[in-house]
Amino acid sequence: MNRQISLSPSLMTMDLDQFKEQITFLNSRVNSYHIDIMDGHFVPNITLSPWFVEQVRKISDTPLSAHMMVNDAPFWVKELIKVKCDYICFPSEVANGVAFSMIDDIHAAGLKAGAVLNPETPISMIEPYIDLLDKVTIMTIDPGFAGQRFLEGTLRKIVELRKMREEHGYGYEIEMDGSTNKAHWKMISDANPDVYVIGRSGLFGLTDNIEDSWNQMVREYEECTGFAFDNGLVQSAR
């Protein structure tokens, strides 16, 4: 059995003193980069920005996916459109009344629209516009900071989203975000998302060298899931 997965390193968790080195190494191995944008209000942390998207674009043609954790989602959508971020994913919790207009603006710019569900947020929150989405991101930890407790129950939403997609012919990718590491590889793989966001505990923090960290991540994934990486992108049963 073979199945295609996508890997999306969370750049909030990378070593910024090795920014170019790490991006250059990962460019040929991953499918996208995950860029967290926090405003200090939706969550207490403040992290990356549309300016950071521009900096990554200087050294990478890999698609960039912005995960907004912000209160004023329409403002940040417009800013991310300006820098042509490939995927613009808004928090579903603040999208009531503006979701359709944001999705229309993103698509009109030739970009892809996504919605993010926090752990407590049900899929029903996005059902009015789920058929328009290119990506749905399931948070498997509380948003705002890396290293928080993995919430296994959130994986049920991944299974349900896959079932809905098959039944209705929806076109969204299913992404999971949070604590993707050795302790959870097996249960995440069983839920079968399309996109794995990997951060400090699963990649960047494993060693002091990005190549060694990548190789360790692959070994841990294979040991935990029983699947083998083929060029870092395709899983094939061993």
Side-chain angles (χ1 to χ4, degrees):
M1 179 182 68
N2 295 324
R3 59 184 186 181
Q4 185 80 33
I5 65 167
S6 296
L7 301 176
S8 189
S10 174
L11 300 190
M12 177 184 78
T13 65
M14 71 185 303
D15 295 315
L16 290 179
D17 62 338
Q18 301 178 42
F19 173 79
K20 186 173 182 179
E21 174 188 344
Q22 293 185 341
I23 294 291
T24 301
F25 175 84
L26 292 169
N27 279 338
S28 62
R29 292 169 171 82
V30 303
N31 306 85
S32 65
Y33 290 115
H34 186 87
I35 299 177
D36 290 301
I37 296 179
M38 309 179 192
D39 64 357
H41 299 286
F42 184 81
V43 291
N45 201 5
I46 297 174
T47 53
L48 308 177
S49 69
W51 174 86
F52 187 82
V53 172
E54 292 182 297
Q55 306 314 302
V56 178
R57 183 64 73 214
K58 292 177 181 178
I59 56 175
S60 180
D61 294 325
T62 302
L64 305 180
S65 181
H67 170 193
M68 300 189 300
M69 286 167 266
V70 299
N71 281 343
D72 189 354
F75 169 80
W76 290 102
V77 164
K78 289 181 172 58
E79 294 301 303
L80 288 162
I81 287 173
K82 290 178 184 177
V83 297
K84 300 187 185 305
C85 191
D86 301 280
Y87 286 83
I88 301 176
C89 304
F90 55 82
S92 58
E93 297 80 11
V94 299
N96 190 36
V98 293
F100 286 98
S101 61
M102 288 192 296
I103 293 169
D104 287 347
D105 287 346
I106 293 167
H107 285 163
L111 306 170
K112 295 185 177 182
V116 184
L117 298 176
N118 282 343
E120 302 90 346
T121 307
I123 294 173
S124 59
M125 178 75 75
I126 61 172
E127 283 190 31
Y129 51 87
I130 195 170
D131 58 316
L132 302 175
L133 294 173
D134 302 293
K135 181 190 286 187
V136 179
T137 301
I138 299 301
M139 293 298 298
T140 53
I141 62 171
D142 287 329
F145 295 90
Q148 300 206 62
R149 183 171 72 89
F150 185 80
L151 303 169
E152 184 177 351
T154 58
L155 297 176
R156 292 192 293 269
K157 287 189 276 189
I158 294 173
V159 176
E160 181 62 22
L161 283 168
R162 184 171 289 278
K163 180 181 177 182
M164 292 173 63
R165 183 173 65 186
E166 293 172 354
E167 290 178 350
H168 299 285
Y170 296 143
Y172 53 75
E173 294 179 299
I174 305 167
E175 178 178 76
M176 63 75 54
D177 179 9
S179 200
T180 311
N181 57 38
K182 183 177 181 179
H184 311 121
W185 275 124
K186 179 63 167 65
M187 62 183 74
I188 294 168
S189 178
D190 288 346
N192 195 18
D194 304 303
V195 185
Y196 294 60
V197 176
I198 45 177
R200 189 147 195 88
S201 66
L203 176 62
F204 292 111
L206 294 180
T207 74
D208 293 331
N209 176 276
I210 187 60
E211 183 172 3
D212 291 341
S213 292
W214 176 268
N215 291 335
Q216 181 174 332
M217 180 204 72
V218 170
R219 287 195 303 272
E220 292 178 351
Y221 175 86
E222 292 180 340
E223 291 169 1
C224 293
T225 67
F227 286 97
F229 268 68
D230 179 4
N231 204 28
L233 301 178
V234 179
Q235 305 178 75
S236 54
R238 293 189 292 174

